[in-house]
Amino acid sequence: MTTRLSAIYEIGEAAAITELVMEYITGVAKKDRSRVNDVILDAEQQLKAENILQRLLAHEPVQYVLSESWFCGLKLYVDNNVLIPRPETEELVEWIIANCKFPLDQLSILDVGSGSGCIPIALKRRLRKADVYGCDISKEALKVATRNANTLGTEVKFVELDFLDPSSRESLPSFDIIVSNPPYIPKSERSSMRPNVITFEPETALFVPDDDPLLFYRAIASFGIHKLNAGGTIYMEIYEDLGSAVTDLFSQSGYKVTLKKDMQGKDRMVKAHL
């Protein structure tokens, strides 16, 4: 499988995808398979592997093919109604937890644009006494998020609303922490992106207009002025080329701002407080 996948993926990524598929089909982790050399697939498993391979060769992400993705040590259900959780977003979650100074039983958190629910669910699992909300405009995404929360026994209050509509977002209560990984990729970047992303992942969760790439950050800044509790903080994931623009927007709105790089050295996260 690795050899055939290497036609469209780098060899290391092809090997990693193959390992995920093998574990999914056999139910045996790589560390256990290595003890017994190569596992021989029966006829049914071979057919399943071939069907999966054909979908992968059509550039469908392995997470959608297997209907699962890992985030902060949690196995989440995903389909093409939600973005596939990224490792960079795990860094955002860890940054929030490392800086959390509120009494947990009084802490309130809002995740804007929850998608699969990965951020609010991970935060609730780690900050168990916190009151955690998630909102999204997509009814189908919220079904996925709710499914994940229920599967993992995690209580998150999910709300369907258009955060870009001022009257809708003002219906929310106030919060100590506001977090978001909003759409932030300019549409002009679409042609340079990989087919497994642009063909299968939801465009509304990825792209923003070229002439207004900060529209979600502007909405978050405005919301925070009215709905961020005293001493509260906003955490956001950003497009690597928009670090200065996002920090300037929040600074001009009266926030004190910190720009943080991810493990690859790219401007990826912003923290803001009044």
Side-chain angles (χ1 to χ4, degrees):
M1 183 175 288
T2 300
T3 301
R4 293 171 69 182
L5 286 175
S6 64
I8 60 172
Y9 290 104
E10 296 290 336
I11 188 66
E13 189 172 3
I17 291 171
T18 299
E19 289 297 343
L20 288 173
V21 173
M22 287 297 293
E23 182 171 341
Y24 177 81
I25 290 174
T26 65
V28 181
K30 177 184 177 180
K31 61 182 177 63
D32 298 316
R33 290 200 308 275
S34 63
R35 295 196 192 108
V36 293
N37 299 316
D38 292 332
V39 173
I40 298 175
L41 302 181
D42 61 29
E44 182 179 352
Q45 289 172 327
Q46 288 180 35
L47 179 60
K48 183 182 291 187
E50 183 59 31
N51 290 337
I52 288 173
L53 179 60
Q54 292 307 313
R55 293 175 66 182
L56 293 170
L57 289 173
H59 296 280
E60 187 173 356
V62 64
Q63 293 90 343
Y64 291 155
V65 175
L66 305 183
S67 299
E68 63 184 40
S69 181
W70 288 87
F71 183 82
C72 291
L74 305 172
K75 185 166 77 170
L76 302 174
Y77 168 83
V78 293
D79 60 28
N80 60 7
N81 291 296
V82 299
L83 287 184
I84 297 165
R86 265 60 169 189
E88 294 86 352
T89 309
E90 294 187 3
E91 293 184 56
L92 182 67
V93 168
E94 294 299 333
W95 196 24
I96 294 169
I97 293 168
N99 286 274
C100 186
K101 298 179 174 62
F102 290 89
L104 295 187
D105 59 350
Q106 301 173 28
L107 179 65
S108 59
I109 301 172
L110 170 68
D111 174 50
V112 178
S114 291
S116 67
C118 61
I119 292 176
I121 291 170
L123 288 172
K124 180 65 175 179
R125 294 274 295 192
R126 298 280 292 277
L127 307 171
R128 290 187 179 274
K129 294 184 179 180
D131 197 19
V132 181
Y133 285 72
C135 68
D136 204 291
I137 193 173
S138 168
K139 187 185 298 291
E140 295 306 313
L142 289 173
K143 288 180 182 178
V144 173
T146 301
R147 172 176 176 169
N148 283 322
N150 291 341
T151 299
L152 293 166
T154 308
E155 185 180 350
V156 177
K157 302 176 181 69
F158 289 110
V159 181
E160 181 185 347
L161 61 81
D162 179 1
F163 195 80
L164 294 180
D165 175 28
S167 61
S168 294
R169 64 178 182 254
E170 288 302 315
S171 67
L172 292 166
S174 58
F175 297 93
D176 300 306
I177 293 174
I178 299 167
V179 55
S180 184
N181 177 21
Y184 54 61
I185 303 173
K187 287 185 178 179
S188 58
E189 299 290 322
R190 192 180 191 280
S191 60
S192 65
M193 296 173 66
R194 294 171 61 169
N196 60 312
V197 176
I198 60 175
T199 304
F200 293 97
E201 298 201 59
E203 288 199 10
T204 54
L206 288 168
F207 297 109
V208 288
D210 292 333
D211 60 355
D212 193 11
L214 302 181
L215 79 167
F216 281 95
Y217 299 103
R218 191 179 305 108
I220 292 167
S222 175
F223 179 78
I225 290 171
H226 303 288
K227 295 288 189 173
L228 191 63
N229 291 333
T233 310
I234 299 173
Y235 294 87
M236 296 157 290
E237 188 169 326
I238 65 167
Y239 190 52
E240 62 188 270
D241 294 337
L242 294 178
S244 296
V246 174
T247 54
D248 287 348
L249 185 157
F250 276 83
S251 294
Q252 291 166 13
S253 299
Y255 291 86
K256 296 178 176 64
V257 187
T258 303
L259 178 63
K260 183 177 173 65
K261 296 183 184 297
D262 63 16
M263 288 188 293
Q264 299 178 52
K266 297 177 179 179
D267 290 340
R268 183 65 67 186
M269 293 162 275
V270 167
K271 177 175 70 171
H273 63 91
L274 293 169

